[in-house]
Amino acid sequence: MAFESHHNEEDKVEEKLQSMGEEKKDEVLTSFESFKSYLGDKVSKGEKLGMNEEQLAKTAQKVADYLADHESARNREEKLLQELWKVGNEEEQHKLAHMLVKLVQ
């Protein structure tokens, strides 16, 4: 049951990201400040829904996986994050996701 729930969450994250229009993606990803603002808003909403830091980090990890696989970096900061993400193993990526959550809290 837990696997089904976890898989369902991944599907929801990917669906949400895929359904985001190109204009909105450009708006969010064009500058690092707008990316941080967008992520901060989503973290805040997750906290209001009762998500703890671990749940927020797992969601951030799914978003980062999607971005690394489907989007090009649009500025130096995103390029650095993307390169770190690609060289990191799953544990390191998870820690980086925790740091991103802390960065925008």
Side-chain angles (χ1 to χ4, degrees):
M1 190 71 158
F3 175 75
E4 186 177 305
S5 174
H6 176 71
H7 185 66
N8 201 13
E9 287 175 21
E10 286 182 27
D11 290 345
K12 285 180 185 177
V13 169
E14 190 157 336
E15 265 178 44
K16 181 78 172 169
L17 290 167
Q18 287 178 347
S19 68
M20 183 185 285
E22 286 303 314
E23 192 174 307
K24 180 65 177 174
K25 278 185 197 175
D26 285 342
E27 182 184 315
V28 170
L29 298 174
T30 297
S31 83
F32 189 61
E33 289 305 314
S34 63
F35 169 73
K36 284 187 347 184
S37 176
Y38 178 80
L39 185 57
D41 179 59
K42 297 305 178 195
V43 167
S44 178
K45 286 179 181 174
E47 289 172 331
K48 287 177 185 167
L49 292 172
M51 294 175 73
N52 64 32
E53 186 180 335
E54 183 63 24
Q55 291 168 316
L56 293 168
K58 284 181 179 181
T59 302
Q61 190 171 359
K62 289 169 188 32
V63 170
D65 279 338
Y66 177 86
L67 291 174
D69 290 343
H70 296 93
E71 296 293 330
S72 299
R74 301 184 190 187
N75 54 60
R76 292 182 307 224
E77 296 89 351
E78 288 174 13
K79 180 68 173 165
L80 175 60
L81 285 173
Q82 189 176 57
E83 292 296 319
L84 289 171
W85 196 260
K86 287 180 179 181
V87 299
N89 62 33
E90 189 172 345
E91 180 184 344
E92 292 164 331
Q93 289 173 345
H94 185 69
K95 287 180 181 179
L96 183 54
H98 270 280
M99 293 186 332
L100 285 169
V101 168
K102 286 181 180 181
L103 177 69
V104 301
Q105 282 179 319

